[in-house]
Amino acid sequence: MRPVEELLTIQDLHVSFHQDGKVLQAVRGLDLSVRKGEVHSLVGESGSGKTVTSKSVMGLIDIPPGEIGKGSIRFSGREVIGMGPRELRAMRGKEIGMIFQEPARYLNPAYKVGEQIRESVSMHLGLNRGDALERAYEYLALVGLGQDQRILNSYPHELSGGMKQRAMIAMAIACNPKLLIADEPTTALDVTLQLQILKLLISLQRKLSMTVLFISHDLGVVREISDTVSVIYAGRIVERASKEELFSRPLHPYTTLLLLSKPEPEKRGKDLPTIPGRVPDPEHVPPGCAFHTRCPLAEEICGREVPELKQYGEDHWAACFFAGKKQIKEDG
């Protein structure tokens, strides 16, 4: 049976950034719940608010210029918004681990990889230097980098891109966190390495019984790894369902268009449909449904009112006035 206990619950989250007298609305009333033990994917185009959402969970939004206007982020029964710096530092790494898009930016070039993992383990688990280094070696081995002491004693610049990403994963899971946030972890890698990293994440999730929030714009990857999928557009969730339900019966026009524009072997030689326009600038989000300016099904109400995220069938939610009533066909 699917897990029902919610480990992470986000309600009505609003995050904005103040820049040169402008207010950029990055997240606008986002609702998201992640069940314990599942792989929950958050998918959408660049600029939809995926990374801002993950950084809000980690307490990594710089305030100012960032501002959490209202909302709630509850992790393991505790409210994250309003936590002090000490509480946040204790939570990061130990209870929530994070894999960033570009590991080279987050691995300190001045310290050996083993030392960086050791420092995190010592701080969160209270292990002495020797035991912490042994744990660092153990987790480097777990991600496929521990055949000898070389990686433990290497600086980040001495590692390939795939090895850096594996080292980042080792660092993120070394304290056995309850939740692992993987923010576009395969974006900078070639196709072969992407597949290796995905297989590794799936294996680790099962082996360590972790809950994973997987952030991506790649529906092929999402289909491979997910239990549940939430689709985000302009800072709001527009659809949420099980992987099987979402890919077989999408209800929101944005989800449908994303799926239609996904390359498939059977579409080889054909022109892929595209979504006209682009994700709106956070400073100028359209009124009503933010997608209505790009939506082929939009009617007058869509530009006037914001549709609620409503339930359609078991555990399938969508924010569209025409969910289940009007459909986009592949031929337009």
Side-chain angles (χ1 to χ4, degrees):
M1 292 180 61
R2 295 184 62 186
V4 295
E5 182 183 347
E6 292 180 351
L7 182 65
L8 174 68
T9 305
I10 303 175
Q11 294 179 318
D12 197 26
L13 181 66
H14 290 71
V15 184
S16 58
F17 294 88
H18 299 260
Q19 180 180 327
D20 301 326
K22 302 174 183 179
V23 179
L24 311 179
Q25 303 175 68
V27 173
R28 308 174 308 111
L30 182 138
D31 296 303
L32 181 72
S33 59
V34 180
R35 298 181 178 99
K36 186 176 181 181
E38 75 171 350
V39 178
H40 193 126
S41 287
L42 183 60
V43 63
E45 295 169 279
S46 296
S48 292
K50 305 185 298 294
T51 295
V52 172
T53 299
S54 66
K55 287 188 173 183
S56 298
V57 173
M58 295 288 284
L60 292 174
I61 299 295
D62 291 328
I63 302 176
E67 178 185 14
I68 296 180
K70 63 176 180 176
S72 170
I73 301 174
R74 294 192 67 81
F75 171 72
S76 198
R78 292 176 295 156
E79 179 60 52
V80 174
I81 296 176
M83 274 188 181
R86 181 175 294 180
E87 284 181 286
L88 287 170
R89 282 196 299 271
M91 180 184 71
R92 295 184 203 123
K94 183 176 182 181
E95 296 187 74
I96 305 178
M98 187 163 183
I99 307 167
F100 295 93
Q101 286 187 42
E102 301 174 51
R105 291 180 55 191
Y106 294 94
L107 291 170
N108 192 322
Y111 293 91
K112 296 175 181 178
V113 168
E115 276 298 312
Q116 295 186 55
I117 301 175
R118 180 206 64 77
E119 182 181 25
S120 175
V121 168
S122 293
M123 179 175 72
H124 291 301
L125 302 184
L127 300 182
N128 61 42
R129 180 181 177 81
D131 289 342
L133 277 173
E134 183 62 32
R135 190 176 181 93
Y137 179 79
E138 175 188 341
Y139 277 80
L140 286 170
L142 192 61
V143 300
L145 292 177
Q147 287 77 14
D148 53 44
Q149 296 286 331
R150 186 174 63 86
I151 303 300
L152 197 71
N153 294 314
S154 294
Y155 290 94
H157 73 270
E158 297 176 303
L159 305 181
S160 68
M163 294 167 79
K164 286 189 185 78
Q165 192 62 283
R166 287 172 182 264
M168 173 67 75
I169 294 171
M171 187 178 300
I173 67 172
C175 295
N176 287 356
K178 297 177 183 176
L179 174 66
L180 177 66
I181 300 176
D183 185 4
E184 303 268 15
T186 63
T187 296
L189 305 175
D190 64 40
V191 175
T192 302
L193 286 173
Q194 284 184 20
L195 184 59
Q196 290 177 7
I197 295 299
L198 285 177
K199 287 182 176 178
L200 173 62
L201 286 173
I202 294 170
S203 171
L204 291 172
Q205 188 266 337
R206 291 170 180 166
K207 186 176 292 185
L208 302 176
S209 301
M210 286 187 302
T211 304
V212 177
L213 177 59
F214 187 85
I215 297 169
S216 181
H217 65 274
D218 188 327
L219 285 165
V221 170
V222 166
R223 189 169 196 164
E224 187 73 26
I225 201 170
S226 310
D227 296 308
T228 303
V229 182
S230 288
V231 181
I232 184 172
Y233 185 80
R236 291 174 63 90
I237 300 299
V238 297
E239 186 161 5
R240 185 184 77 229
S242 69
K243 172 183 65 178
E244 294 78 13
E245 180 79 1
L246 187 109
F247 279 84
S248 64
R249 194 173 72 95
L251 295 178
H252 197 282
Y254 179 56
T255 308
T256 301
L257 288 169
L258 284 176
L259 291 172
L260 289 176
S261 62
K262 176 181 174 289
E264 300 279 8
E266 60 269 21
K267 297 177 184 177
R268 186 169 298 161
K270 300 178 182 179
D271 291 335
L272 289 175
T274 58
I275 306 176
R278 56 187 298 177
V279 177
D281 187 311
E283 185 188 1
H284 302 292
V285 179
C289 172
F291 187 61
H292 84 268
T293 58
R294 306 172 71 190
C295 181
L297 303 183
E299 296 188 9
E300 188 269 339
I301 189 176
C302 304
R304 189 181 70 243
E305 298 181 22
V306 179
E308 295 180 16
L309 191 65
K310 292 183 178 180
Q311 188 169 6
Y312 297 87
E314 185 179 353
D315 205 23
H316 195 157
W317 300 71
C320 178
F321 294 113
F322 306 110
K325 300 175 185 176
K326 295 172 70 175
Q327 292 184 334
I328 298 171
K329 294 186 174 148
E330 189 164 359
D331 61 2

